[in-house]
Amino acid sequence: MSLLVVGTLAYDSVTTGAGYREESLGGSGMYFSIAANYFTDVSLVAIVGTDFKNSERFFLANKNIDLSNVETKEGNTFRWKGIYDPNNPNSRETISTDINVLAEFSPKLTSEARAKEYLFLANIDPSAQMNVLNQMDTRPKLIGLDTMDFWINSDRDNLQKVIENIDILFMDDAEIKSYTGETNIVAAADSVHESGPKVIVVKKGEHGVTVFNQGKIFSTPAYLLNTVTDPTGAGDSFAGGFMGYMAKKQGTDFSTIKEATIMGTVMGSFTVQGFSVENISDLEENKINDRYEEMVNLTRFPSLSEKGGPVV
Ligand code: AMP
């Protein structure tokens, strides 16, 4: 089963408690594709400028990520610059966002891309998200969407129109509160449910993830690490692990959603252990499986029936 994603390819300049990296490979489409590619075939829809290096294109193509919907336009690739609080990796400030060629992005999908059954609208301009959604031959089996404060603040109306047409919304706790105007994530998830999406995934950085699915709730802590090198891309890699796993299992039920949440957590945790995509580019499969199992052991405890009766 294969997965189509539209997102950004970027050059990021990032300062964290562990150091500084200038113009390293990033973007929501980049992190998502690499993480999802461990589970399923990925086709990426994106735009880059003429400054995008061939070595970077080969890096993705060598992973068998389909780049036939990546357009190159005269000009510069999207750039993002951010700084993390050295004492709190959950807190980051965007220093600059240079849209560059993204301003002229109007994707035209190949016929193969239009037929995909799993679609992810990664963090990018809501009109590019809508444009891709509208080009699909039939409604995909599962449509996920991620966004960030930049688009919530600058293009809320268009974002809302796309969100009304999707199945799974990924947001962090600050974003969903700002998007809905609620101060509590349960109330915020209820309000998003009413507008369409059946599944709401609320990411809480080092405090884990809570998933709401029409009255059913699942929560997991983050994978525990003693150092975080660079949190950039954790959310996109989480979504890549989640959607890649859903496409691999071809499921949409709550049990598969719980497993996908753990897989997303695992992929996000690998990303933050290195700068840029360096720690998720060449993972051995057994490392992913071992970390999944560690997550199971971290969260498992006996139910009342397994204990043979009530606890009080
Ligand atoms: P995350 O840490 O998962 O929120 O994602 C960080 C990535 O998002 C970086 O690699 C950036 O290049 C990319 N990014 C930053 N701002 C935007 C934006 N406004 N639209 C799309 N992608 C962005």
Side-chain angles (χ1 to χ4, degrees):
M1 197 49 60
S2 59
L3 174 59
L4 183 71
V5 54
V6 58
T8 49
L9 288 176
Y11 285 122
D12 289 345
S13 296
V14 172
T15 307
T16 77
Y20 174 65
R21 290 288 187 284
E22 197 167 349
E23 305 257 303
S24 57
L25 214 44
S28 58
M30 169 67 76
Y31 284 103
F32 181 93
S33 301
I34 293 176
N37 199 235
Y38 287 97
F39 306 95
T40 191
D41 295 334
V42 178
S43 297
L44 173 62
V45 184
I47 188 166
V48 292
T50 36
D51 60 344
F52 195 72
K53 296 191 193 94
N54 270 337
S55 55
E56 260 120 46
R57 221 179 283 265
F58 291 138
F59 164 75
L60 288 168
N62 275 338
K63 299 190 174 301
N64 286 328
I65 294 170
D66 170 29
L67 303 180
S68 47
N69 291 277
V70 175
E71 185 188 337
T72 306
K73 200 151 206 145
E74 192 63 49
N76 285 332
T77 300
F78 179 86
R79 274 169 174 72
W80 175 77
K81 196 174 208 172
I83 181 163
Y84 291 83
D85 179 342
N87 301 312
N88 177 11
N90 276 347
S91 162
R92 86 170 165 206
E93 189 191 340
T94 291
I95 303 298
S96 58
T97 303
D98 296 328
I99 298 285
N100 297 333
V101 291
L102 193 61
E104 300 156 57
F105 189 33
S106 178
K108 282 176 198 58
L109 302 190
T110 58
S111 53
E112 289 80 9
R114 287 198 303 264
K116 302 284 179 193
E117 287 196 315
Y118 287 79
L119 173 65
F120 192 67
L121 308 171
N123 177 27
I124 196 168
D125 185 336
S127 41
Q129 293 176 320
M130 189 58 117
N131 184 334
V132 168
L133 182 56
N134 284 340
Q135 288 183 60
M136 300 308 282
D137 287 340
T138 51
R139 191 189 192 281
K141 195 167 165 186
L142 199 66
I143 308 169
L145 179 145
D146 188 20
T147 189
M148 75 187 297
D149 51 0
F150 184 87
W151 303 113
I152 296 172
N153 298 333
S154 66
D155 204 6
R156 200 186 181 291
D157 289 351
N158 281 326
L159 179 62
Q160 196 168 342
K161 284 185 197 134
V162 197
I163 289 177
E164 283 166 11
N165 288 288
I166 60 150
D167 301 304
I168 310 188
L169 177 69
F170 297 74
M171 275 189 183
D172 73 27
D173 47 356
E175 288 159 358
I176 198 166
K177 286 177 184 168
S178 133
Y179 175 68
T180 59
E182 299 285 352
T183 52
N184 167 295
I185 61 164
V186 183
D190 285 346
S191 142
V192 176
H193 266 320
E194 279 165 25
S195 72
K198 294 183 280 295
V199 181
I200 324 291
V201 179
V202 183
K203 300 167 286 177
K204 297 171 292 178
E206 61 176 342
H207 304 298
V209 177
T210 300
V211 182
F212 300 87
N213 179 198
Q214 296 174 307
K216 297 191 278 286
I217 301 181
F218 177 67
S219 259
T220 173
Y223 180 79
L224 300 172
L225 291 164
N226 66 2
T227 42
V228 169
T229 303
D230 175 11
T232 310
D236 308 311
S237 310
F238 173 92
F242 187 111
M243 290 294 294
Y245 187 81
M246 295 297 285
K248 179 185 169 80
K249 293 288 164 186
Q250 295 192 43
T252 52
D253 57 291
F254 195 52
S255 179
T256 314
I257 287 171
K258 287 186 196 174
E259 291 161 26
T261 305
I262 300 297
M263 212 40 111
T265 300
V266 165
M267 298 313 291
S269 74
F270 282 119
T271 293
V272 305
Q273 286 184 284
F275 277 101
S276 178
V277 292
E278 63 193 24
N279 203 49
I280 49 159
S281 296
D282 271 312
L283 283 172
E284 286 158 19
E285 286 182 353
N286 67 325
K287 279 188 148 186
I288 298 175
N289 289 320
D290 288 352
R291 201 166 273 195
Y292 180 93
E293 206 57 18
E294 281 183 68
M295 285 299 297
V296 173
N297 291 328
L298 182 67
T299 50
R300 184 159 54 194
F301 58 94
S303 68
L304 292 184
S305 61
E306 283 164 334
K307 286 177 68 63
V311 282
V312 285

